[in-house]
Amino acid sequence: MNHYITIGELSKLMNVSVHQIRYFEEKEILYPAYTDNNQYRMYGIDEIYQLAQILLLRKLNVPVSTINKSLNSFTTNDYHQLLVQSLSKVTTEINQLIMLQQFIQKVLKEHEDWNNLEGNYHIKHVDTRHLKKWIELEENTTLTARSLYEKKPQLSHLFETDLHYLYDSKKATLCFETTHSPDIILEKGSYLYKSFFVTDDQDIEHEIAELELYLTQHHYTTQGQLIILEKSYLSMFNNDKLHYEIQIKINPNPEGVA
């Protein structure tokens, strides 16, 4: 009885291609037990376990070029450190995937809310926000690519967050949320808000005027600055428009809020 198997059978047993097994042989990390009279490569139990270890090392991101060294000279401590490093990398990848999952969930919820609420004023409770100043825009000035570049913050995925424009009579201050040393703290409370699309700066000016009129008509008392949120990540749903939300903190006294 022949206790050995062919390369094709080894391929099926280990769920790896024949091409990959031959590649390992070319790189001198796996050889057949012997070659029979018909020039078939034959593999025994030792080769099966060696291939299993090679596949595990590849899964741990050990380059093929260094597997020969690891098979022949790695100590127990070397393998322990390899696993520690691999675990660290996997943990980082898992955390990145969790962050991506949370971002996708946020975008989907924001879009669903947008479809339900766009075009009308509403009131919602907003938690405390900690903001870092980014760019100050004086009256009658606009944001440019050059100003974004020259004053770029050291912050990854900046446009995947809500950018805050804080308005007063003379200027608008562009801010982003931060967890370290905030320049501005927006207090939690009830905020009157409305979602809207923007194609040019006049759309924002129009929405500011509309909000001021609405506040007067409904006798709201406001607190703090006017806030406009830029939700650029939602623009994937409408490529030719930016998604914005206008907000202002109020003492709730609603009269027929839509």
Side-chain angles (χ1 to χ4, degrees), residues 204-215:
I204 296 177
E205 294 172 3
H206 171 76
E207 291 297 336
I208 292 174
E210 287 287 313
L211 176 62
E212 291 173 347
L213 178 61
Y214 188 90
L215 291 168

PDB file of all heavy atoms in Angstrom, residues 204-215:
ATOM      1  N   ILE A 204     -26.385  79.640   1.180  1.00  0.00           N
ATOM      2  CA  ILE A 204     -26.157  79.771   2.621  1.00  0.00           C
ATOM      3  C   ILE A 204     -26.723  81.089   3.131  1.00  0.00           C
ATOM      4  O   ILE A 204     -27.394  81.131   4.169  1.00  0.00           O
ATOM      5  CB  ILE A 204     -24.647  79.663   2.937  1.00  0.00           C
ATOM      6  CG1 ILE A 204     -24.137  78.267   2.567  1.00  0.00           C
ATOM      7  CG2 ILE A 204     -24.384  79.974   4.408  1.00  0.00           C
ATOM      8  CD1 ILE A 204     -22.654  78.078   2.783  1.00  0.00           C
ATOM      9  N   GLU A 205     -26.456  82.165   2.410  1.00  0.00           N
ATOM     10  CA  GLU A 205     -26.993  83.472   2.813  1.00  0.00           C
ATOM     11  C   GLU A 205     -28.515  83.448   2.866  1.00  0.00           C
ATOM     12  O   GLU A 205     -29.130  84.018   3.779  1.00  0.00           O
ATOM     13  CB  GLU A 205     -26.515  84.545   1.825  1.00  0.00           C
ATOM     14  CG  GLU A 205     -25.008  84.774   1.852  1.00  0.00           C
ATOM     15  CD  GLU A 205     -24.539  85.694   0.746  1.00  0.00           C
ATOM     16  OE1 GLU A 205     -25.414  86.202  -0.002  1.00  0.00           O
ATOM     17  OE2 GLU A 205     -23.315  85.906   0.615  1.00  0.00           O
ATOM     18  N   HIS A 206     -29.116  82.759   1.907  1.00  0.00           N
ATOM     19  CA  HIS A 206     -30.574  82.646   1.883  1.00  0.00           C
ATOM     20  C   HIS A 206     -31.077  81.889   3.108  1.00  0.00           C
ATOM     21  O   HIS A 206     -32.057  82.302   3.752  1.00  0.00           O
ATOM     22  CB  HIS A 206     -31.019  81.926   0.601  1.00  0.00           C
ATOM     23  CG  HIS A 206     -32.475  81.580   0.572  1.00  0.00           C
ATOM     24  ND1 HIS A 206     -33.462  82.522   0.337  1.00  0.00           N
ATOM     25  CD2 HIS A 206     -33.123  80.397   0.773  1.00  0.00           C
ATOM     26  CE1 HIS A 206     -34.645  81.939   0.380  1.00  0.00           C
ATOM     27  NE2 HIS A 206     -34.464  80.656   0.638  1.00  0.00           N
ATOM     28  N   GLU A 207     -30.403  80.801   3.472  1.00  0.00           N
ATOM     29  CA  GLU A 207     -30.845  80.003   4.615  1.00  0.00           C
ATOM     30  C   GLU A 207     -30.673  80.769   5.922  1.00  0.00           C
ATOM     31  O   GLU A 207     -31.490  80.636   6.841  1.00  0.00           O
ATOM     32  CB  GLU A 207     -30.081  78.683   4.671  1.00  0.00           C
ATOM     33  CG  GLU A 207     -30.426  77.713   3.560  1.00  0.00           C
ATOM     34  CD  GLU A 207     -31.885  77.258   3.587  1.00  0.00           C
ATOM     35  OE1 GLU A 207     -32.519  77.294   4.673  1.00  0.00           O
ATOM     36  OE2 GLU A 207     -32.385  76.871   2.523  1.00  0.00           O
ATOM     37  N   ILE A 208     -29.619  81.576   6.033  1.00  0.00           N
ATOM     38  CA  ILE A 208     -29.421  82.395   7.234  1.00  0.00           C
ATOM     39  C   ILE A 208     -30.566  83.396   7.376  1.00  0.00           C
ATOM     40  O   ILE A 208     -31.137  83.575   8.457  1.00  0.00           O
ATOM     41  CB  ILE A 208     -28.057  83.109   7.189  1.00  0.00           C
ATOM     42  CG1 ILE A 208     -26.928  82.076   7.319  1.00  0.00           C
ATOM     43  CG2 ILE A 208     -27.961  84.147   8.307  1.00  0.00           C
ATOM     44  CD1 ILE A 208     -25.547  82.667   7.150  1.00  0.00           C
ATOM     45  N   ALA A 209     -30.920  84.054   6.268  1.00  0.00           N
ATOM     46  CA  ALA A 209     -32.022  85.012   6.293  1.00  0.00           C
ATOM     47  C   ALA A 209     -33.336  84.325   6.641  1.00  0.00           C
ATOM     48  O   ALA A 209     -34.153  84.853   7.421  1.00  0.00           O
ATOM     49  CB  ALA A 209     -32.122  85.717   4.940  1.00  0.00           C
ATOM     50  N   GLU A 210     -33.551  83.133   6.093  1.00  0.00           N
ATOM     51  CA  GLU A 210     -34.779  82.378   6.377  1.00  0.00           C
ATOM     52  C   GLU A 210     -34.856  82.000   7.851  1.00  0.00           C
ATOM     53  O   GLU A 210     -35.923  82.065   8.473  1.00  0.00           O
ATOM     54  CB  GLU A 210     -34.822  81.115   5.508  1.00  0.00           C
ATOM     55  CG  GLU A 210     -35.111  81.357   4.040  1.00  0.00           C
ATOM     56  CD  GLU A 210     -36.566  81.728   3.807  1.00  0.00           C
ATOM     57  OE1 GLU A 210     -37.446  81.051   4.350  1.00  0.00           O
ATOM     58  OE2 GLU A 210     -36.808  82.727   3.094  1.00  0.00           O
ATOM     59  N   LEU A 211     -33.712  81.601   8.427  1.00  0.00           N
ATOM     60  CA  LEU A 211     -33.701  81.239   9.840  1.00  0.00           C
ATOM     61  C   LEU A 211     -34.006  82.452  10.717  1.00  0.00           C
ATOM     62  O   LEU A 211     -34.781  82.355  11.680  1.00  0.00           O
ATOM     63  CB  LEU A 211     -32.341  80.650  10.220  1.00  0.00           C
ATOM     64  CG  LEU A 211     -32.162  80.308  11.703  1.00  0.00           C
ATOM     65  CD1 LEU A 211     -33.156  79.238  12.147  1.00  0.00           C
ATOM     66  CD2 LEU A 211     -30.733  79.876  12.001  1.00  0.00           C
ATOM     67  N   GLU A 212     -33.403  83.577  10.410  1.00  0.00           N
ATOM     68  CA  GLU A 212     -33.659  84.787  11.201  1.00  0.00           C
ATOM     69  C   GLU A 212     -35.134  85.156  11.165  1.00  0.00           C
ATOM     70  O   GLU A 212     -35.724  85.545  12.187  1.00  0.00           O
ATOM     71  CB  GLU A 212     -32.798  85.928  10.672  1.00  0.00           C
ATOM     72  CG  GLU A 212     -31.301  85.725  10.960  1.00  0.00           C
ATOM     73  CD  GLU A 212     -30.432  86.765  10.280  1.00  0.00           C
ATOM     74  OE1 GLU A 212     -30.954  87.494   9.397  1.00  0.00           O
ATOM     75  OE2 GLU A 212     -29.230  86.852  10.612  1.00  0.00           O
ATOM     76  N   LEU A 213     -35.744  85.031  10.004  1.00  0.00           N
ATOM     77  CA  LEU A 213     -37.168  85.316   9.886  1.00  0.00           C
ATOM     78  C   LEU A 213     -37.996  84.321  10.698  1.00  0.00           C
ATOM     79  O   LEU A 213     -38.943  84.702  11.401  1.00  0.00           O
ATOM     80  CB  LEU A 213     -37.584  85.264   8.412  1.00  0.00           C
ATOM     81  CG  LEU A 213     -39.080  85.488   8.120  1.00  0.00           C
ATOM     82  CD1 LEU A 213     -39.517  86.878   8.591  1.00  0.00           C
ATOM     83  CD2 LEU A 213     -39.355  85.307   6.622  1.00  0.00           C
ATOM     84  N   TYR A 214     -37.620  83.053  10.635  1.00  0.00           N
ATOM     85  CA  TYR A 214     -38.348  82.012  11.362  1.00  0.00           C
ATOM     86  C   TYR A 214     -38.261  82.238  12.871  1.00  0.00           C
ATOM     87  O   TYR A 214     -39.242  82.092  13.604  1.00  0.00           O
ATOM     88  CB  TYR A 214     -37.783  80.642  10.999  1.00  0.00           C
ATOM     89  CG  TYR A 214     -38.582  79.480  11.534  1.00  0.00           C
ATOM     90  CD1 TYR A 214     -39.620  78.932  10.797  1.00  0.00           C
ATOM     91  CD2 TYR A 214     -38.289  78.912  12.780  1.00  0.00           C
ATOM     92  CE1 TYR A 214     -40.357  77.853  11.278  1.00  0.00           C
ATOM     93  CE2 TYR A 214     -39.017  77.852  13.270  1.00  0.00           C
ATOM     94  CZ  TYR A 214     -40.045  77.327  12.509  1.00  0.00           C
ATOM     95  OH  TYR A 214     -40.784  76.274  13.000  1.00  0.00           O
ATOM     96  N   LEU A 215     -37.072  82.594  13.354  1.00  0.00           N
ATOM     97  CA  LEU A 215     -36.887  82.866  14.783  1.00  0.00           C
ATOM     98  C   LEU A 215     -37.772  84.023  15.239  1.00  0.00           C
ATOM     99  O   LEU A 215     -38.373  83.977  16.316  1.00  0.00           O
ATOM    100  CB  LEU A 215     -35.415  83.181  15.061  1.00  0.00           C
ATOM    101  CG  LEU A 215     -34.424  82.024  14.924  1.00  0.00           C
ATOM    102  CD1 LEU A 215     -32.989  82.552  14.948  1.00  0.00           C
ATOM    103  CD2 LEU A 215     -34.633  80.995  16.031  1.00  0.00           C
TER     104      LEU A 215
END
